[in-house]
Amino acid sequence: MSPVRPVRHARRRLIAATVTVCALSATPLAPHAAALDAPAYSETYRPQFHFTPQKNWMNDPNGLVYYKGEYHLFYQYNPNGNSWGDMSWGHAVSTDLVHWKELPLALSHDDKEMVFSGSAVVDRDNTTGFGTRTNPPMVAVYTSLDKATGVQAQSLAYSTDRGRTWTKYRGNPVIDIGSKDFRDPKVQWYAPTKSWLMTVSLSAEHKVRFYSSKNLKDWKQLSEFGPAGATGGVWECPDLFPLPVDGDKKKIKWVLVVNINPGGIAGGSGAQYFVGDFDGTKFTAEDKGSYTPPAGTVVQDFEGADFGTWTAAGTAFGAAPATGALEGQGEVTGYDGKGFANSFHGGDSATGTLTSQPFTVDSRYLNFTVGGGKHSHKDGTVLERGPAPDGTVLADFEGGTYGDWTATGDAFGTAPAPGTLPGQLPVSGWLGVGLVNTFLGGDAATGTLTSPEFTLDKDYVDFLIGGGNHPAGAADPTAIQLLVDGKPVRTATGSDDEALNWASWDVKDLAGKKARLRIVDANTGGWGHLNVDHIVLSDTRAEPVSRETAVNLLVDGKVVASATGADSETLDWASFDLRPYAGEQARIQVVDNNTAGWGHIMADRFTTASAPAKSLVQRADWADHGKDYYAAVSWEDAPGDERYMIGWMNDWEYGGAIPTSPWRGAQSVPRRMALRTVDGRLRLTSEPVAGLASLRQGSAVTADGVTVTDTSQPLGGPAAAGKALDIEATFSVQDADRFGLKVRTGADGEETVIGYDTTTQEMYVDRRHSGAADFSAAFPGVQRAPLKPENGRIKLRILVDWSSVEVFGGRGDAVITDQIFPGPASQGVQVFAENGSARLDQARIRHLGSYRD
């Protein structure tokens, strides 16, 4: 695969638009600058026991195969820069899945193609004729992107020197169906039919297709699987493999891993899986049965002739519940009975709210169904735009020229635009009669516009921004930048929306500095333009207007919980946890404040219950519940028939903006996979490879029999502190609501919380205060994974690296992988309990060295 080819760029930017008004980066650039001067592999956020290339961009693992004592790790790689582009295959090898040696570039892009994701096999019988039986070739099967057409096809390359040098097959491609969404072949030898088996993704159709071949060159289609499970994003990087059930080699089930972006369990990229059977032709997933939500009391089902006591404002919801799809709307499914709230009255351009009467919170959960647009509520937004902030106007683009600003290229022309330009969707939200609009000549135009120097003498820089979502950290940005000493210290981009909205930079830490503004349009693809207006220095932060399509819970007039649709006309279950607001007055408000694509919301069946309802995404099975585990695929031909898996430790929601340099992207630790029966059904479990113990340094720091009540306290003293740790901890569940460990703790409350919530029986990672997190609104948050105590105990294995945590709960049936970017001085370890007591029965903390040692 290779998440983020040109077509996926467009998809990823569309997703970002639903997440935040604009992508802001207020991250200080000092870590970047320091990294440029630091020795290789000692940079601020450089992982020590997770593989990273010495420099440049890396994403998906590819070509995982074991041959002649070496585990091969190929990976998506840009040999020419630290952002996605020029996709090629990088290469590293290991003898133990722990110590890695980076090798020269394996498969390079060229003038005609980029080399996207795929797999590698050892052709031991020389079925291809690329080698000999005594020296069988290693064959890479990869997706070739035709640069001229965008078509994705499957191609071959081969090596006869253990993967050190490669030759592309002259007969490429070997499968071409003329599709731009056909990628990521995983190939293996299927012994029962003595043939090669390919598992490949029809990504936009949410399908996996299977092919068979005798020689890797001529392929016959066998069958398809899907759509099934989670389908909120493209399906990529499929992997099919057998595993024994509960260790019984006489009882085999097949696992189909399908990576999805977006629409993962944590909101962005994710790795889901299906368990079932494969008969040599067809994969059949086990039937999990239909879903029945928890029983409860229906408080609003919109079955009446009107909205009853609920109050509608605006025009979007009409005067009464809808009884099906409205004019211009696709087929609507998933609602109960005959009526539901539907804001598509008048189409996506209509806006409005639907608000319940106040009620006293006296139940544990509020369950409901929701559908429509995926435009989340964002704190700090308002439903209606107020006046422009007072202050010093740096530019309002009203004078008919750019004044002292300097333009380069052809995107800006000689004067501000009067509004919408030819061929452009309607532009709205600017002030006055002029604005910066780089759609001059269409998206193909590029250029820069730079302001004269000014002094930062107020707290905020406020501005209106719209247009394409191409952050400054990504290839070919459309962004506005604040420059100090010629270097960007703040950036913002659009949200794939022609409506301009307020954005702000907090510049209090830059008070008195001389600065310039630079507007950059380097993008020639879809949404390759930017709209900017009314830039003002102010002591007031501008309030962006909500673009949400959401169901909100309001307490004291503030939104305390929110759910949105999934860009789907199918309503699905969602749930609000009401327990923190017991006894308080609340309202439910359904909000449509979006006028663009999927600018509507649907809701039904509001039900109070003692347990939460689960969405389709929550009901799917996930190999990892964190934000940063994607493109997960496994090694072929591993000794002992073991199944080892590795994933890209990043997320397409912010992958191009993480604050690392001169590299960007890391791989997870390789994991040993197993199928175990958990709570009566089969689960794919994982644990770090045993060889990781070889990196342990010195003696373990131990802490046994520690009881903690309603507090946090240091654990293990200075000897336990560190940036790279392997922690094993076992807790006895007592009466605390939440308990666990905090790692990478430091000044100003910096911490990454790894806990267990007894009220929901979930393991969680909270990285909201883990360090640098404001480079993307999608980064801060809490990730959760279901985990039941075993014999009254919770067991955690925590791997802490310089910029990540990987948490394995129980016997590997709950896993959360998250990046973190703490300051180098944040190295503490603490134990905590909230609202009660917990007992840490045993903890072993070990320091880990580098895989390069």
Side-chain angles (χ1 to χ4, degrees):
M1 155 216 108
S2 178
V4 176
R5 12 241 197 230
V7 64
R8 186 146 350 131
H9 271 307
R11 174 175 290 274
R12 182 159 56 96
R13 290 192 292 270
L14 176 60
I15 293 147
T18 70
V19 171
T20 180
V21 170
C22 61
L24 298 176
S25 175
T27 307
L29 294 199
H32 299 251
L36 294 174
D37 299 329
Y41 298 104
S42 67
E43 301 92 346
T44 301
Y45 300 131
R46 173 72 78 166
Q48 295 301 293
F49 57 90
H50 294 83
F51 176 78
T52 55
Q54 181 173 347
K55 63 179 182 178
N56 296 341
W57 170 274
M58 174 181 72
N59 54 284
D60 307 356
N62 297 156
L64 307 183
V65 68
Y66 179 83
Y67 184 51
K68 291 188 175 181
E70 292 180 323
Y71 292 92
H72 290 264
L73 168 63
F74 300 93
Y75 47 87
Q76 289 289 277
Y77 184 65
N78 180 1
N80 299 317
N82 200 22
S83 58
W84 186 93
D86 291 341
M87 283 293 97
S88 306
W89 276 24
H91 191 192
V93 293
S94 172
T95 59
D96 60 1
L97 291 172
V98 176
H99 297 84
W100 293 97
K101 178 182 179 181
E102 185 175 356
L103 297 179
L105 189 69
L107 299 177
S108 178
H109 73 100
D110 57 33
D111 292 341
K112 294 183 178 180
E113 73 170 11
M114 282 199 280
V115 181
F116 283 173
S117 291
S119 52
V121 295
V122 177
D123 184 13
R124 299 184 188 279
D125 294 331
N126 195 31
T127 64
T128 57
F130 292 152
T132 65
R133 284 182 176 270
T134 56
N135 184 28
M138 185 182 294
V139 181
V141 189
Y142 66 92
T143 296
S144 52
L145 172 79
D146 188 312
K147 290 183 177 181
T149 65
V151 168
Q152 298 173 6
Q154 314 319 317
S155 295
L156 306 179
Y158 59 93
S159 170
T160 55
D161 58 359
R162 297 183 303 124
R164 269 54 179 183
T165 60
W166 291 83
T167 301
K168 292 181 181 179
Y169 174 45
R170 295 183 65 179
N172 283 337
V174 294
I175 310 180
D176 183 356
I177 62 172
S179 172
K180 296 182 179 181
D181 291 289
F182 178 51
R183 51 182 175 265
D184 312 337
K186 177 62 185 290
V187 174
Q188 60 191 289
W189 180 253
Y190 187 69
T193 59
K194 297 182 179 179
S195 60
W196 297 103
L197 172 66
M198 178 190 291
T199 307
V200 64
S201 175
L202 299 171
S203 59
E205 299 176 46
H206 309 119
K207 291 182 179 180
V208 169
R209 181 175 287 180
F210 302 100
Y211 288 88
S212 179
S213 174
K214 294 295 185 180
N215 60 8
L216 291 174
K217 300 174 182 177
D218 304 299
W219 293 90
K220 177 181 71 173
Q221 181 179 331
L222 298 176
S223 64
E224 292 180 353
F225 172 80
T231 57
V234 292
W235 277 18
E236 299 183 313
C237 296
D239 192 4
L240 179 71
F241 51 85
L243 281 176
V245 174
D246 295 319
D248 184 355
K249 294 186 177 181
K250 295 181 180 180
K251 186 177 182 181
I252 300 295
K253 285 287 185 179
W254 286 75
V255 178
L256 175 63
V257 175
V258 181
N259 293 269
I260 180 173
N261 174 60
I265 184 61
S269 309
Q272 74 170 321
Y273 68 90
F274 303 88
V275 177
D277 297 296
F278 182 71
D279 63 5
T281 299
K282 182 179 180 181
F283 174 80
T284 304
E286 291 192 335
D287 185 0
K288 297 167 65 175
S290 60
Y291 176 68
T292 301
T297 301
V298 177
V299 296
Q300 176 58 270
D301 56 8
F302 300 111
E303 292 300 291
D306 55 27
F307 290 120
T309 61
W310 288 48
T311 303
T315 62
F317 291 93
T323 56
L326 298 171
E327 184 179 355
Q329 187 175 24
E331 181 185 4
V332 178
T333 60
Y335 60 95
D336 189 74
K338 64 179 183 180
F340 61 102
N342 185 349
S343 75
F344 199 75
H345 288 83
D348 280 331
S349 62
T351 61
T353 61
L354 184 62
T355 309
S356 76
Q357 291 294 303
F359 62 92
T360 301
V361 176
D362 58 4
S363 60
R364 295 167 63 87
Y365 293 93
L366 178 69
N367 299 329
F368 53 94
T369 57
V370 61
K374 184 180 179 182
H375 306 274
S376 302
H377 169 81
K378 291 301 168 188
D379 291 338
T381 59
V382 294
L383 292 181
E384 295 183 5
R385 190 160 89 178
D390 291 330
T392 304
V393 176
L394 297 175
D396 58 10
F397 305 108
E398 294 298 293
T401 71
Y402 289 121
D404 294 333
W405 288 55
T406 303
T408 66
D410 55 1
F412 295 87
T414 59
T420 306
L421 295 173
Q424 188 176 24
L425 295 171
V427 178
S428 62
W430 79 96
L431 299 177
V433 298
L435 75 154
V436 171
N437 183 347
T438 70
F439 197 76
L440 189 68
D443 278 330
T446 61
T448 66
L449 184 66
T450 306
S451 78
E453 192 173 66
F454 59 93
T455 301
L456 292 166
D457 56 4
K458 297 187 183 297
D459 291 346
Y460 299 97
V461 178
D462 299 325
F463 50 93
L464 290 164
I465 187 170
N469 183 350
H470 308 262
D476 306 327
T478 55
I480 180 172
Q481 301 173 326
L482 180 69
L483 308 179
V484 173
D485 296 328
K487 298 179 180 179
V489 295
R490 303 287 190 274
T491 71
T493 188
S495 56
D496 288 351
D497 191 338
E498 300 293 12
L500 283 77
N501 206 350
W502 284 112
S504 297
W505 292 319
D506 185 333
V507 293
K508 291 191 285 289
D509 61 314
L510 300 172
K513 297 279 189 181
K514 298 290 187 180
R516 295 180 187 271
L517 291 162
R518 181 171 62 198
I519 303 172
V520 179
D521 177 354
N523 198 289
T524 60
W527 284 105
H529 64 279
L530 198 68
N531 308 324
V532 177
D533 194 23
H534 206 80
I535 306 169
V536 57
L537 276 171
S538 178
D539 287 326
T540 302
R541 180 189 289 271
E543 293 182 310
V545 177
S546 161
R547 302 290 192 213
E548 68 196 91
T549 53
V551 178
N552 296 329
L553 178 69
L554 281 66
V555 175
D556 293 330
K558 297 180 180 179
V559 176
V560 297
S562 184
T564 188
D567 287 349
S568 171
E569 302 293 14
T570 298
L571 284 79
D572 192 13
W573 284 102
S575 184
F576 290 153
D577 186 347
L578 302 180
R579 292 172 299 169
Y581 315 107
E584 298 188 51
Q585 291 289 295
R587 291 177 185 260
I588 305 164
Q589 187 172 68
V590 188
V591 179
D592 176 354
N593 220 43
N594 196 290
T595 61
W598 284 105
H600 63 281
I601 186 77
M602 301 176 293
D604 195 19
R605 200 72 178 176
F606 287 90
T607 305
T608 57
S610 59
K614 293 184 177 181
S615 68
L616 188 151
V617 171
Q618 291 171 316
R619 302 193 302 270
D621 291 317
W622 301 93
D624 193 298
H625 281 69
K627 288 284 286 187
D628 294 305
Y629 188 72
Y630 190 62
V633 286
S634 64
W635 269 273
E636 292 299 318
D637 299 335
D641 292 327
E642 293 285 6
R643 183 62 55 172
Y644 298 113
M645 181 168 279
I646 193 170
W648 179 49
M649 201 163 61
N650 208 342
D651 192 304
W652 284 115
E653 285 194 298
Y654 45 73
I658 59 172
T660 65
S661 179
W663 85 102
R664 186 172 280 125
Q667 304 295 346
S668 73
V669 295
R671 302 168 182 184
R672 180 179 179 270
M673 311 306 292
L675 268 181
R676 287 200 309 109
T677 303
V678 180
D679 293 332
R681 69 184 186 88
L682 290 178
R683 297 278 298 276
L684 182 65
T685 65
S686 59
E687 61 182 358
V689 291
L692 196 65
S694 66
L695 298 182
R696 291 172 175 172
Q697 298 179 330
S699 300
V701 178
T702 62
D704 299 334
V706 178
T707 297
V708 59
T709 304
D710 293 326
T711 191
S712 298
Q713 63 188 51
L715 184 67
K723 297 189 292 182
L725 303 171
D726 185 349
I727 303 173
E728 296 174 294
T730 302
F731 288 86
S732 284
V733 178
Q734 297 183 342
D735 63 351
D737 284 351
R738 288 165 294 279
F739 61 82
L741 300 178
K742 298 179 179 180
V743 299
R744 299 301 304 267
T745 64
D748 300 322
E750 196 162 274
E751 62 184 18
T752 298
V753 182
I754 299 163
Y756 185 75
D757 189 330
T758 63
T759 68
T760 59
Q761 293 193 319
E762 292 174 317
M763 180 179 82
Y764 66 92
V765 173
D766 182 347
R767 65 177 181 185
R768 290 175 294 180
H769 306 288
S770 62
D774 53 1
F775 50 85
S776 168
F779 188 84
V782 182
Q783 283 73 57
R784 297 176 174 270
L787 178 65
K788 291 187 176 181
E790 189 170 353
N791 299 320
R793 290 181 170 84
I794 292 296
K795 183 178 180 181
L796 302 176
R797 173 87 180 273
I798 304 168
L799 302 179
V800 183
D801 207 341
W802 286 18
S803 57
S804 65
V805 292
E806 288 170 281
V807 186
F808 300 81
R811 290 187 287 169
D813 36 298
V815 188
I816 295 176
T817 300
D818 276 351
Q819 293 182 95
I820 57 174
F821 299 102
S826 295
Q827 299 188 30
V829 179
Q830 298 179 2
V831 60
F832 76 93
E834 296 177 2
N835 197 24
S837 300
R839 174 185 166 86
L840 176 61
D841 296 327
Q842 185 181 74
R844 299 289 182 268
I845 304 172
R846 298 176 174 90
H847 292 266
L848 295 180
S850 169
Y851 72 78
R852 288 168 294 276
D853 294 339

